[in-house]
Amino acid sequence: MPRPWKATVGAVGVTVCVVAGMAGCSSDDGKKSGASASASSTSEDNGVADKDAKEISDAAQSALLGAKSVRLRMTGPSEPNSNDPTALDVRIDRDGNCKGSIKFQPGKGNVDLIKQGDKVWFKGDDAFWKAQAGPQGAAVAELMRGKYVTGATSQDELKDMAEFCDLSNLQKQIKSDDGDVKDLKKGARTDADGQKAIVLTGKDDDGHAQTMYVATVGTPYPLKIVSEDDGGNEIASFSEFDKPVPSSTPGTEETIDYSKFEQQIQRA
């Protein structure tokens, strides 16, 4: 049984390391960019851009640790012919609920996923099942068209969803991670996904550039993180903080229980 979120958990881990690392980094005095320090404030400005680099990164980490829910969107490269995701768009909360989608390489399809409490639903498109089910791909795709597989997170094949969908688990990782971003510097004010932000830059242990955009209006959340790697950039965007995760779930006519799914796959 394919478990597409396994690689996704690892992808989210990159973001965890950057957030935690930037809050525990070695930095300059954070005031080399006169443009960011002297930019005019507005009545909505939260004042974070006037702080030094370490203070900004600490404020961003603290804000993310305090969030009750968030929408996380990520894009990034993956190894050719791998089953790694290339994009995800999920809403997650501290209660372990989530709703969103995962996109794979061209031809490898997409998956919609939902988790409420200890129950999980996921639905792959035709391309996904054809790519994952081998010689049975076409038959499985026809069988599962428009259907969600559903089961409990206590099942081995589905338990990784419990980790991935739980914002509190990611927050614990951020808080305990010992990653370290070097040469932290404060950049200029800018926009990130249409919101006003201040830029922080640094490098990981391998010398790859790390860039974080921190909100300068309202709560100083991290809005975007760009992590450079040898294969390209991985981009994580955060939005819709503290908004409830949609609670709608598929009806019984749209679902197949995981145990029955396994039986039907064997007969396909």
Side-chain angles (χ1 to χ4, degrees), residues 191-193 211-215 221-226 235-238:
D191 285 344
D193 297 332
T211 305
M212 182 189 293
Y213 299 79
V214 180
Y221 290 117
L223 301 175
K224 182 190 292 186
I225 297 173
V226 180
I235 302 173
S237 297
F238 301 87

Side-chain angles (χ1 to χ4, degrees), residues 1 5 111-113 120-124 129 147-149 158:
M1 170 59 204
W5 43 85
V111 170
D112 293 330
L113 60 90
V120 175
W121 295 259
F122 71 92
K123 179 175 69 175
W129 290 118
K147 297 283 188 180
Y148 286 85
V149 178
L158 301 174

Side-chain angles (χ1 to χ4, degrees), residues 15-25 48 51-68 70 94 167-168 170-181 184 198 200 212-215 219-225 238 241:
T15 300
V16 169
C17 290
V18 176
V19 174
M22 280 193 159
C25 54
V48 73
K51 300 179 181 295
D52 66 30
K54 180 64 165 58
E55 290 172 329
I56 295 172
S57 66
D58 287 348
Q61 184 189 47
S62 178
L64 189 56
L65 290 175
K68 297 178 181 178
V70 67
R94 286 183 178 179
L167 175 59
S168 63
L170 294 180
Q171 289 170 327
K172 288 176 184 176
Q173 292 181 49
I174 290 171
K175 194 171 183 178
S176 64
D177 193 276
D178 59 359
D180 190 19
V181 175
L184 188 72
I198 185 72
L200 292 181
M212 182 189 293
Y213 299 79
V214 180
T219 305
Y221 290 117
L223 301 175
K224 182 190 292 186
I225 297 173
F238 301 87
F241 293 94

Side-chain angles (χ1 to χ4, degrees), residues 33-237:
S33 174
S36 61
S38 62
S40 60
S41 298
T42 69
S43 59
E44 298 178 316
D45 196 291
N46 60 23
V48 73
D50 296 325
K51 300 179 181 295
D52 66 30
K54 180 64 165 58
E55 290 172 329
I56 295 172
S57 66
D58 287 348
Q61 184 189 47
S62 178
L64 189 56
L65 290 175
K68 297 178 181 178
S69 62
V70 67
R71 180 180 183 182
L72 171 62
R73 287 173 290 178
M74 296 183 69
T75 59
S78 62
E79 291 294 326
N81 302 316
S82 75
N83 290 324
D84 294 344
T86 59
L88 70 95
D89 183 351
V90 292
R91 292 167 172 83
I92 57 177
D93 67 20
R94 286 183 178 179
D95 294 325
N97 303 310
C98 73
K99 190 167 188 176
S101 61
I102 302 173
K103 183 177 182 180
F104 296 88
Q105 293 184 9
K108 296 266 179 115
N110 306 314
V111 170
D112 293 330
L113 60 90
I114 300 170
K115 180 176 176 291
Q116 286 287 321
D118 62 356
K119 198 164 185 180
V120 175
W121 295 259
F122 71 92
K123 179 175 69 175
D125 61 11
D126 283 7
F128 172 79
W129 290 118
K130 288 177 181 179
Q132 296 287 341
Q136 298 172 299
V140 173
E142 184 175 354
L143 173 69
M144 295 306 301
R145 189 168 295 135
K147 297 283 188 180
Y148 286 85
V149 178
T150 185
T153 55
S154 57
Q155 295 172 273
D156 287 343
E157 296 83 0
L158 301 174
K159 64 182 180 180
D160 289 323
M161 283 292 292
E163 177 181 354
F164 171 63
C165 283
D166 193 344
L167 175 59
S168 63
N169 183 64
L170 294 180
Q171 289 170 327
K172 288 176 184 176
Q173 292 181 49
I174 290 171
K175 194 171 183 178
S176 64
D177 193 276
D178 59 359
D180 190 19
V181 175
K182 312 295 184 184
D183 301 323
L184 188 72
K185 294 180 176 64
K186 180 172 73 171
R189 291 178 183 255
T190 186
D191 285 344
D193 297 332
Q195 299 187 63
K196 294 181 178 180
I198 185 72
V199 176
L200 292 181
T201 60
K203 294 181 179 179
D204 64 16
D205 289 336
D206 295 322
H208 296 137
Q210 310 286 334
T211 305
M212 182 189 293
Y213 299 79
V214 180
T216 57
V217 174
T219 305
Y221 290 117
L223 301 175
K224 182 190 292 186
I225 297 173
V226 180
S227 302
E228 181 187 83
D229 203 346
D230 294 333
N233 289 340
E234 185 169 85
I235 302 173
S237 297

